[in-house]
Amino acid sequence: MKGKPIGGVRRAQLITTYGVGSLIAVGSESFMVAGLDRWPELGPFDQTVHERRLEKELGVECFRLPPASESAKYGDIPVIRFPEVQSCPGCNRLAKARFFGASRSPAKCKECDRELVPSRFVVCCAEGHIDDFPYFRWLHKGGNPTGNDSQRHDLRLKATGRSASLGDIEISCSCGVRPVTMEGALRKAALKGISDCTGRRPWLGDVPTEDCEQLPRAMQRGASGVWFSDVRSALSIPPWSEGVQKLVERHWRSLKKAPDLRDRLEELELDDHRLYSVEEIIQAVERRRQDDAGHTDDSEATLKLDEYQALTRTTEERPGKQDFVCVPWPDDDIAAELAIDKVMRVKRLREVRVLKGFTRLAAPSSANLDQRAQLYSTENRPDWLPAIEVIGEGVFLRLDPDRVAEWESHPDVQARVAPIDRAYRERFARFGLVPDRDITPRLVMIHTLAHSIINEWSLDSGYPAASLRERLYVSDKMSGFLVYTATSDSAGSLGGIVAQVESGRLAASVRSALQRVSWCSADPLCMEAQTSGTDNLNRAACHSCVLLPETSCEEFNTLLDRALLAGTSEVPALGFFSSSDARAAEEHFAQR
């Protein structure tokens, strides 16, 4: 995987957009990112990233930033040519690139000396397999002659140019079969009876194909459904965010099994470290040993609860490198008026995002856990996963748990969320699974509030909405959310988020956000919708009011309903913030 680079993308894109198994358009060509077992070895241009809690959960030793090297010695991210089927704009021939005599980039037709055009279509299945579109079988109605299709038949692709529709793309063959167009090829069941899933995983090289009973679906190679990243993320929180723990991490191989820690610290010259005492270092080593021994819970629910607890207590800035600084901002007015009983300024935070797999056709969710495609072959499992780290800032808001519990106990509120919960259960039922959680009014309300505040702050703080991100902490024990910077460039460290609190405008900005979502340009259709969104998992939510760029949302723009914030015209007290007079709201529900 050495040689001259053929193109470039940002490191962060290799986690979220152009990860393993995805397609990248480079000039007039198309390539697929190869599996992790074909990536170059660690070199001087690579960096190792550690996030202890994620390492335990995902079962790896470390994470690494995607290599970014132009050195011919170490190489860079490997890619393969995909789709393999190409067409020549000169002679209109349709075949795999090797039959044109193309051996290097850019691929050209040996006869016409014209650059080849990658196939516009591919076929995918829900298990993650992908292959070239079966042009021969589409043209011959599922026929399968003996021998190699491309050698026995001279296929040609011709676009009339009258329009960009599929009906103007014509496929013909030298055998004299009647030409057909691509009209209808992208329908969900278009390949039924024509082609089965081949079980190919080209990003893994020459691994054997898998048996697959899924019905493949044709898609344009640039469609978003061809590749969805499955990203796991976590915030670095105490104690793992502390500088002393980072010092231990750098020397862990030497300290891991040392019988006498004090002697080993002296050998490593860590006993005279200026920032940390010997006792602090020994305590950090013992904490790491306990963690390695499996004495801590590393489930996703525990991970979120640990973060929630860290965000609700004060972590002052200390000397040395520290990834987490969280200090409170007392505001009695906002607690009384808007039921936000805790405001925390997260002046410094570090988020690690790890690519753990990917899906095709449907975005990853807990309903399709068994349909994740692997980033590597089973025989060559690496002890690392690709990741990026984001250093930024944020604001954590917690709603009064008692007032939230009282509000969500009302029958009208529960009835409002019931269609969303029912649709969520139906999503799992299609896969024969039991739902992983109940969709509660508290979850939908807090999620919608986070969206409305991100939209508001994108106007006030100078950050675009795509540069902000939410992190929800909602359960019987949690009722808060974090809004933080989501990019790894300079837009993540301007201080504009914390300034929303320190300027004294927090209450005003929250009120403005609530006022903004109380009306939508798509009303009354938006507010009166019984269901909307993907799999009917929203109610009153559309692109004109609360939807965000999907990179900013934990739930892929689902589980939203702005009526739970501001109420409806028929039931104004339905919204958590619809009335500043809690007694009036209580009287309304009592009358009903």
Side-chain angles (χ1 to χ4, degrees):
M1 301 309 156
K2 304 173 183 177
K4 183 179 179 181
I6 60 173
V9 297
R10 297 191 302 274
R11 268 181 165 173
Q13 289 180 304
L14 287 165
I15 303 298
T16 59
T17 311
Y18 298 124
V20 172
S22 67
L23 297 178
I24 302 179
V26 181
S28 60
E29 300 181 286
S30 176
F31 299 92
M32 177 179 286
V33 179
L36 298 183
D37 45 351
R38 302 177 65 185
W39 284 29
E41 297 293 331
L42 285 171
F45 298 92
D46 296 305
Q47 301 178 33
T48 300
V49 176
H50 290 281
E51 207 324 289
R52 184 61 196 150
R53 297 183 303 148
L54 271 184
E55 290 168 356
K56 284 193 62 181
E57 181 185 344
L58 300 178
V60 295
E61 292 295 324
C62 66
F63 306 114
R64 62 179 284 193
L65 295 173
S69 167
E70 294 184 359
S71 169
K73 180 180 179 181
Y74 294 99
D76 213 318
I77 299 294
V79 296
I80 60 172
R81 188 181 300 281
F82 193 87
E84 295 179 21
V85 173
Q86 312 268 314
S87 62
C88 174
C91 60
N92 295 327
R93 187 182 177 194
L94 182 68
K96 293 186 176 181
R98 65 178 182 268
F99 296 123
F100 288 95
S103 58
R104 62 182 62 185
S105 182
K108 292 186 177 182
C109 177
K110 196 171 184 180
E111 297 179 0
C112 305
D113 197 33
R114 299 278 298 273
E115 288 191 13
L116 301 179
V117 178
S119 171
R120 180 176 163 184
F121 308 99
V122 295
V123 290
C124 311
C125 84
E127 297 291 337
H129 303 130
I130 188 171
D131 205 348
D132 289 286
F133 184 85
Y135 289 101
F136 180 89
R137 298 178 68 87
W138 178 257
L139 175 61
H140 294 80
K141 306 301 181 185
N144 189 20
T146 58
N148 187 288
D149 295 348
S150 298
Q151 290 180 339
R152 294 176 58 87
H153 294 262
D154 186 10
L155 297 182
R156 295 186 181 275
L157 181 147
K158 183 178 180 181
T160 63
R162 292 189 298 267
S163 69
S165 69
L166 300 183
D168 284 336
I169 301 176
E170 185 179 271
I171 312 297
S172 60
C173 181
S174 58
C175 69
V177 67
R178 183 179 179 180
V180 300
T181 69
M182 295 294 294
E183 186 72 35
L186 302 186
R187 293 173 183 164
K188 189 172 184 179
L191 298 180
K192 187 175 183 179
I194 294 179
S195 178
D196 299 325
C197 180
T198 59
R200 280 198 66 197
R201 296 171 291 171
W203 66 94
L204 299 182
D206 297 327
V207 297
T209 59
E210 294 183 320
D211 294 332
C212 182
E213 298 180 356
Q214 294 278 346
L215 177 66
R217 182 173 180 179
M219 304 188 74
Q220 300 198 54
R221 59 180 168 86
S224 60
V226 171
W227 191 86
F228 291 98
S229 62
D230 184 13
V231 175
R232 190 76 179 87
S233 70
L235 301 181
S236 294
I237 60 173
W240 310 112
S241 64
E242 296 171 352
V244 64
Q245 202 67 50
K246 295 181 179 296
L247 179 67
V248 170
E249 188 71 55
R250 289 198 298 270
H251 301 278
W252 182 241
R253 291 181 181 274
S254 300
L255 299 172
K256 184 177 182 179
K257 297 181 179 180
D260 192 320
L261 280 176
R262 293 183 183 274
D263 290 345
R264 184 55 56 87
L265 293 177
E266 186 176 350
E267 292 175 9
L268 297 173
E269 298 182 354
L270 297 181
D271 57 334
D272 60 348
H273 201 278
R274 292 175 296 175
L275 297 177
Y276 315 108
S277 66
V278 173
E279 296 302 325
E280 286 180 309
I281 298 176
I282 291 176
Q283 185 180 8
V285 173
E286 292 297 340
R287 183 187 298 120
R288 174 65 187 269
R289 286 177 173 178
Q290 291 290 321
D291 191 62
D292 282 356
H295 296 161
T296 56
D297 187 356
D298 57 355
S299 65
E300 182 177 357
T302 302
L303 185 146
K304 273 289 187 78
L305 183 59
D306 290 344
E307 291 181 6
Y308 180 76
Q309 293 172 347
L311 287 165
T312 53
R313 62 174 178 257
T314 302
T315 303
E316 297 285 357
E317 189 165 3
R318 299 177 55 189
K321 188 176 181 181
Q322 189 176 354
D323 290 330
F324 188 80
V325 177
C326 182
V327 293
W329 181 266
D331 192 334
D332 296 335
D333 294 337
I334 196 171
E337 177 187 357
L338 297 170
I340 298 176
D341 68 344
K342 188 172 284 292
V343 179
M344 304 294 289
R345 296 168 294 162
V346 188
K347 292 188 172 183
R348 187 180 306 158
L349 63 81
R350 170 181 179 260
E351 182 192 24
V352 176
R353 300 178 192 162
V354 183
L355 178 65
K356 57 180 287 191
F358 64 90
T359 61
R360 304 197 192 275
L361 300 184
S365 73
S366 49
N368 58 0
L369 288 174
D370 59 341
Q371 295 181 341
R372 303 295 196 274
Q374 288 187 332
L375 305 178
Y376 44 80
S377 59
T378 306
E379 298 77 13
N380 299 308
R381 186 181 189 275
D383 60 356
W384 55 270
L385 288 173
I388 59 169
E389 56 180 354
V390 178
I391 308 297
E393 43 137 9
V395 171
F396 174 78
L397 302 177
R398 186 184 73 180
L399 275 66
D400 185 337
D402 295 333
R403 290 176 64 174
V404 171
E406 179 185 354
W407 166 80
E408 69 177 348
S409 66
H410 293 296
D412 282 355
V413 175
Q414 296 176 355
R416 178 75 188 184
V417 178
I420 300 179
D421 183 56
R422 185 163 53 250
Y424 191 78
R425 293 177 180 278
E426 290 173 356
R427 169 191 268 189
F428 279 78
R430 289 197 296 270
F431 296 92
L433 301 175
V434 177
D436 60 338
R437 56 181 171 173
D438 294 326
I439 305 304
T440 62
R442 145 185 336 218
L443 171 60
V444 179
M445 183 270 289
I446 292 178
H447 187 202
T448 311
L449 177 62
H451 276 229
S452 64
I453 289 180
I454 288 177
N455 278 327
E456 183 67 24
W457 285 359
S458 69
L459 300 175
D460 294 344
S461 66
Y463 290 102
S467 295
L468 301 178
R469 189 177 174 92
E470 69 178 4
R471 195 162 179 84
L472 304 176
Y473 300 93
V474 183
S475 70
D476 293 339
K477 301 178 180 179
M478 302 184 291
S479 58
F481 63 94
L482 173 71
V483 175
Y484 64 103
T485 52
T487 59
S488 55
D489 58 15
S490 60
S493 57
L494 300 177
I497 295 299
V498 172
Q500 296 301 308
V501 175
E502 296 176 343
S503 64
R505 293 194 66 259
L506 178 60
S509 66
V510 174
R511 284 195 300 269
S512 178
L514 295 173
Q515 183 179 6
R516 196 180 300 275
V517 299
S518 65
W519 180 85
C520 172
S521 59
D523 280 340
L525 297 178
C526 178
M527 181 61 77
E528 294 177 357
Q530 292 298 312
T531 55
S532 66
T534 304
D535 292 338
N536 296 322
L537 292 176
N538 289 335
R539 291 205 66 172
C542 70
H543 286 284
S544 299
C545 48
V546 296
L547 297 190
L548 292 175
E550 288 197 355
T551 54
S552 300
C553 177
E554 276 195 354
E555 303 288 350
F556 293 96
N557 273 332
T558 61
L559 310 182
L560 296 164
D561 182 11
R562 59 190 177 88
L564 295 182
L565 296 180
T568 64
S569 57
E570 294 82 9
V571 189
L574 184 69
F576 183 76
F577 301 97
S578 60
S579 174
S580 59
D581 188 350
R583 184 179 302 173
E586 185 66 33
E587 290 177 354
H588 171 83
F589 283 114
Q591 292 173 1
R592 291 179 62 87

